[in-house]
């Protein structure tokens, strides 16, 4: 439990922890590569530690010292049968991506996580994997984990995914490494493309194209004999930076410099939204090699409402709780639509954002695929139930800084999933 008091301003420099999506992938791809993968900037959060522990359980030697990780890859076909159930914790990314790899192995495995994870939809990966020839079943026959995956012979397919989901896309591409021909996935809009970028650097044969008229995006992979270990530097996570971007914009007199933030366009929708809400974000030291990065200078600015929809949604899906708080503090109406995926995150974020924003006095109407927020420019302190969703806990901690009175964040310890030092860092920037 954390108590948050209003502050007069925030100032300072922040280096946010490494990108969660890239940290997962760097360990996974390193584990199935030949040779050594050396990672700097690894996110030492619970979700990524679940990924490390799953691969250690399959015979992969992984040394970790803070944000420095060395993976001694075993190659594509030399993982060993796990002696225990693979514990994926709270991590949807671990579950869905590892399933693609496990579908191509010559041994059986069982994956299971916490209560939230075991209630999230897995049919979205079971269906395409089954079409490829994988043997995957939901042990409770409810379309959720625990999942049992047995050896199967995989065939290349073309799969049209009903959702823009990087986890679904990545699962299929990873299974495609082990298939007998080309595998492709088309999604309605381009989701984060870290798998395509990173797996290519490990030696996979991947191509991508986007239909400029409809926005539909296709990624294809050809089967491969071996991948090769790499040296990687992981940029700061824009999803973690989002809390400080919002805090600096919302609190008068604030100025924050966020160092080395990943600004891959498939992830950086929040920057576009800030601009659409009337804010200027200053980019410094931009680097466009591999995963693009920049230092972001953010100063307090007045925000107005906006519409967030369509192809923008997958580029900011994890930032919507924070954006909803910004919208409540802005002038005018904000409409978020095409975001049904919010319902199947760590919590149903349409419900958890609505409940908590209403508790703080905001004017918000949930919809089938998003929410409508009429900004009042004012929130009051309240008891916030995070429902152990890290992004709810962090978004509402920022809301608490701008509110009148005290805000209590229940279950605040869940920030360990993606940002263990979040509260310490935030406190260090606050001026009261
Ligand atoms: C992730 C993809 C996103 C995101 C999740 C991490 C990934 O999910 O919400 O936190 O690393 O691939 P979907 O793309 O499945 O919506």
């Amino acid at each position: 439990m954390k108590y948050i008091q209003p502050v007069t301003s925030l100032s300072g420099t922040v280096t946010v922890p490494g990108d969660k999506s890239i940290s997962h992938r760097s360990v996974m791809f390193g584990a199935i590569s030949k040779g050594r993968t050396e990672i700097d900037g690894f996110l030492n959060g619970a979700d990524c530690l679940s990924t490390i522990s799953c691969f250690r359980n399959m015979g992969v030697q992984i040394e970790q010292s803070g944000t420095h990780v060395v993976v001694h890859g075993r190659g594509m076909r030399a993982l060993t049968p796990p002696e225990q159930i693979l514990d994926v914790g709270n991590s949807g990314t671990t579950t869905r991506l590892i399933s693609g790899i496990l579908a191509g192995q010559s041994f059986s495995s069982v994956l299971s996580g916490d209560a939230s994870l075991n209630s999230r939809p897995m049919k979205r990966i079971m269906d395409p994997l089954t079409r490829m020839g994988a043997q995957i079943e939901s042990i409770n026959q409810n379309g959720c984990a625990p999942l049992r995956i047995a050896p199967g012979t995989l065939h290349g397919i073309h799969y049209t995914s009903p959702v823009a989901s990087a986890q679904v896309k990545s699962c299929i591409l990873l299974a495609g490494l082990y298939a007998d021909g080309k595998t492709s996935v088309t999604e309605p809009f381009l989701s984060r493309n870290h798998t395509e970028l990173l797996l290519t650097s490990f030696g996979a044969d991947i191509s991508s194209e986007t239909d400029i008229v409809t926005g539909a995006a296709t990624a294809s992979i050809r089967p491969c004999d071996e991948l090769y270990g790499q040296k990687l530097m992981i940029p700061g996570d824009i999803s973690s930076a989002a809390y400080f971007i919002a805090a600096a914009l919302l609190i008068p007199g604030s100025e924050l410099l966020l160092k080395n933030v990943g600004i891959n366009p498939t992830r950086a929708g929040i920057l576009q939204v800030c601009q659409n809400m009337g804010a200027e974000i200053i980019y410094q030291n931009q680097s466009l090699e591999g995963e693009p990065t920049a230092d972001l200078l953010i100063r307090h600015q007045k925000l107005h409402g906006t519409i967030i929809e369509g192809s923008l949604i997958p580029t900011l899906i994890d930032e919507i709780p924070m954006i909803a708080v910004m919208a409540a503090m802005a002038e005018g109406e904000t409409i978020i639509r095409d975001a049904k995926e919010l319902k199947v995150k760590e919590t149903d974020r349409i419900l958890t954002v609505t409940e908590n924003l209403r508790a703080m006095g905001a004017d918000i109407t949930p919809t089938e695929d998003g929410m409508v927020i009429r900004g009042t420019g004012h929130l009051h302190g309240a008891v916030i139930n995070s429902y152990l969703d890290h992004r709810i806990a962090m978004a509402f901690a920022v809301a608490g800084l701008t509110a009148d009175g005290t805000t209590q964040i229940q279950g605040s310890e869940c920030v360990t999933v993606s940002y263990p030092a979040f509260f310490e860092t935030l406190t260090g920037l606050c001026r009261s």
Side-chain angles (χ1 to χ4, degrees):
M1 175 112 68
K2 287 275 179 204
Y3 291 91
I4 311 286
Q5 302 295 345
V7 292
T8 51
S9 67
L10 282 97
S11 65
T13 299
V14 191
T15 302
V16 293
D19 187 276
K20 181 156 82 70
S21 293
I22 303 175
S23 294
H24 281 296
R25 286 161 173 78
S26 62
V27 168
M28 293 186 184
F29 304 169
I32 57 168
S33 291
K34 266 202 143 139
R36 187 182 156 97
T37 288
E38 204 167 313
I39 306 163
D40 277 298
F42 183 78
L43 169 61
N44 205 352
D47 267 14
C48 298
L49 297 179
S50 295
T51 290
I52 288 190
S53 118
C54 288
F55 282 95
R56 280 187 176 144
N57 238 310
M58 292 189 284
V60 183
Q61 196 199 331
I62 303 173
E63 295 155 43
Q64 191 202 353
S65 158
T67 60
H68 182 74
V69 174
V70 178
V71 182
H72 299 271
R74 295 184 63 95
M76 277 188 47
R77 290 167 184 81
L79 298 176
T80 56
E83 278 167 15
Q84 298 137 357
I85 289 177
L86 295 169
D87 182 359
V88 291
N90 189 243
S91 176
T93 308
T94 309
T95 312
R96 298 199 177 103
L97 271 62
I98 214 173
S99 295
I101 294 173
L102 292 172
Q105 306 304 313
S106 57
F107 54 78
S108 293
S109 49
V110 174
L111 294 171
S112 186
D114 67 11
S116 153
L117 187 281
N118 284 357
S119 66
R120 294 178 66 185
M122 293 301 152
K123 239 176 95 53
R124 52 178 57 200
I125 56 160
M126 292 169 63
D127 285 349
L129 286 178
T130 303
R131 282 185 47 191
M132 292 180 79
Q135 305 293 318
I136 176 165
E137 65 161 343
S138 160
I139 289 176
N140 297 328
Q141 306 295 321
N142 62 354
C144 299
L147 301 174
R148 179 180 291 111
I149 302 175
T153 304
L154 301 184
H155 310 292
I157 60 166
H158 175 235
Y159 185 67
T160 302
S161 172
V163 286
S165 160
Q167 295 181 353
V168 170
K169 171 175 64 178
S170 302
C171 170
I172 298 168
L173 293 176
L174 286 165
L177 282 172
Y178 297 91
D180 58 5
K182 178 175 159 183
T183 297
S184 25
V185 195
T186 299
E187 47 183 352
F189 297 116
L190 180 61
S191 63
R192 63 192 67 192
N193 64 357
H194 305 303
T195 295
E196 295 92 305
L197 295 177
L198 197 59
L199 208 45
T200 300
S201 75
F202 279 81
D205 180 358
I206 298 188
S207 57
S208 308
E209 57 191 71
T210 300
D211 182 320
I212 48 167
V213 179
T214 64
T218 301
S220 307
I221 191 164
R222 291 187 184 279
C224 146
D225 289 332
E226 281 304 348
L227 300 169
Y228 297 94
Q230 298 296 308
K231 218 170 161 10
L232 306 171
M233 177 61 99
I234 298 179
D237 196 324
I238 190 162
S239 299
S240 298
Y243 305 105
F244 301 109
I245 294 172
L249 288 175
L250 292 177
I251 300 172
S254 296
E255 176 171 317
L256 292 179
L257 179 64
L258 309 179
K259 303 279 284 180
N260 188 37
V261 180
I263 54 163
N264 178 324
T266 66
R267 287 290 298 287
I270 184 160
L271 302 178
Q272 180 67 52
V273 165
C274 291
Q275 203 179 315
N276 296 351
M277 294 180 89
E280 189 200 0
I281 291 178
I282 300 167
Y283 293 62
Q284 299 176 344
N285 297 320
Q286 273 201 64
S287 151
L288 298 176
E289 245 175 69
E291 288 280 353
T293 58
D295 299 342
L296 305 177
L297 180 65
I298 327 279
R299 296 195 179 102
H300 165 69
Q301 280 156 83
K302 273 189 97 55
L303 303 178
H304 57 72
T306 186
I307 296 178
I308 306 168
E309 62 187 349
S311 60
L312 198 50
I313 294 292
T315 71
L316 47 65
I317 189 73
D318 291 341
E319 287 64 77
I320 289 179
M322 191 68 264
I323 291 171
V325 171
M326 287 163 60
M329 292 295 292
E331 200 183 300
E333 186 174 79
T334 293
I335 299 172
I336 301 174
R337 57 167 86 104
D338 303 326
K340 227 184 189 145
E341 281 295 294
L342 290 172
K343 294 184 173 186
V344 293
K345 295 298 176 186
E346 286 81 334
T347 57
D348 176 339
R349 289 182 179 155
I350 296 182
L351 287 184
T352 49
V353 166
T354 301
E355 176 187 318
N356 286 312
L357 264 184
R358 279 189 177 154
M360 298 186 84
D363 181 351
I364 173 168
T365 306
T367 62
E368 244 321 283
D369 65 349
M371 55 196 83
V372 178
I373 299 157
R374 284 157 294 271
T376 57
H378 181 258
L379 294 172
H380 59 71
V383 177
I384 298 300
N385 192 337
S386 71
Y387 293 99
L388 300 183
D389 181 337
H390 55 133
R391 305 227 177 265
I392 297 293
M394 291 187 276
F396 282 88
V398 172
L401 297 178
T402 71
D404 288 343
T406 303
T407 296
Q408 190 181 319
I409 312 280
Q410 293 181 334
S412 57
E413 64 281 2
C414 64
V415 303
T416 51
V417 160
S418 64
Y419 198 161
F422 173 73
F423 287 105
E424 290 73 10
T425 304
L426 190 63
T427 306
L429 300 168
C430 289
R431 313 283 166 249
S432 48

